[in-house]
Amino acid sequence: MKADGRIGILISGRGSNMESILLAAEERRIPAVVAVVISNEPDAPGVARAQARGVETVVLDHRRCATREDQDRRIVSVLEERRVDLVCLAGYMKLLSPGLLKAYPGRILNIHPALLPAFPGLESQRKALEYGVRFTGATVHFVDAGVDTGPIVLQSVVPVEQDDTPATLTQRILREEHRIYPEAIRLFFQDRLQIEGRIVRILPPPSAE
């Protein structure tokens, strides 16, 4: 078990999933601390929210870098300086470069507002409504080089109501995101996630001695 693990969170916006992780760490529902929150957007509301909870924040404006690789080298430097074990994307709106993926293989998680592999990318709630599905939901997955294509850790199903709008559906999905993301992080730090190709096996908890 990775006792007292260290998490780095990447955000671009309001940081609601970030806050759910911070709260879970504060309440010791996950055996880890959030070492740093990094935002590529200087005006992201999540920066102030993290600071209000006493968490170190670093703003790395991606506009100041010529390439995605340059930006991700700066991110890796910040993460390594803080000895981060797990990177959590929480509304981070930039694709990761091969360099960042190589620096943290099997140690980057993301949350997506759909039941992957359905509706990857942006505006998943609108796509679900337009497609007419009866159920959608939330997915926690490991990050790979594709767009929302990494091995799936946890999913939660959310029924689609006939009078749903993207806004109402988003709110109900968010409640499930806030529930399953900390749970996936807990399983990671308990060494209970085993990646076998595309399959993530959830191992049983260790037997009490």
Side-chain angles (χ1 to χ4, degrees):
M1 179 181 293
K2 298 177 178 65
D4 297 318
R6 297 175 66 80
I7 300 169
I9 303 177
L10 274 56
I11 66 170
S12 296
R14 66 183 184 273
S16 70
N17 271 298
M18 173 203 72
E19 283 200 297
S20 74
I21 297 169
L22 293 177
L23 181 61
E26 291 169 4
E27 295 178 348
R28 299 303 295 167
R29 286 183 281 120
I30 54 177
V33 297
V34 176
V36 65
V37 169
I38 301 173
S39 175
N40 68 304
E41 291 286 354
D43 298 327
V47 173
R49 291 182 176 184
Q51 291 171 344
R53 289 183 174 272
V55 177
E56 181 186 8
T57 61
V58 176
V59 174
L60 298 176
D61 189 340
H62 62 276
R63 301 169 191 85
R64 296 182 177 272
C65 289
T67 66
R68 181 176 51 164
E69 288 73 19
D70 289 341
Q71 169 74 348
D72 283 0
R73 275 192 287 270
R74 296 200 299 167
I75 291 174
V76 169
S77 177
V78 171
L79 296 172
E80 289 181 343
E81 286 175 2
R82 281 119 183 115
R83 308 187 315 280
V84 164
D85 302 301
L86 176 68
V87 181
C88 294
L89 309 186
Y92 186 66
M93 304 305 292
K94 305 293 288 184
L95 295 176
L96 304 187
S97 69
L100 180 47
L101 294 171
K102 184 178 180 180
Y104 288 89
R107 293 192 291 153
I108 306 176
L109 289 176
N110 185 43
I111 184 82
H112 183 73
L115 294 176
L116 294 173
F119 312 122
L122 301 175
E123 298 189 32
S124 299
Q125 302 89 334
R126 178 186 59 77
K127 293 174 184 175
L129 291 173
E130 291 179 351
Y131 204 86
V133 297
R134 302 303 187 192
F135 297 91
T136 184
T139 301
V140 182
H141 64 95
F142 283 104
V143 177
D144 62 10
V147 177
D148 301 319
T149 56
I152 291 169
V153 180
L154 293 176
Q155 292 184 304
S156 181
V157 175
V158 175
V160 178
E161 306 294 344
Q162 293 193 59
D163 59 350
D164 261 330
T165 65
T168 60
L169 185 56
T170 294
Q171 287 305 310
R172 294 210 312 285
I173 293 174
L174 265 176
R175 287 196 288 269
E176 293 305 300
E177 291 182 37
H178 296 167
R179 182 179 66 82
I180 66 173
Y181 207 175
E183 172 67 8
I185 295 168
R186 180 180 70 83
L187 292 170
F188 174 87
F189 282 108
Q190 290 178 336
D191 287 327
R192 294 175 57 194
L193 300 180
Q194 182 174 301
I195 304 175
E196 299 176 4
R198 282 217 49 83
I199 307 300
V200 177
R201 302 198 182 279
I202 299 177
L203 305 178
S207 301
E209 297 184 359

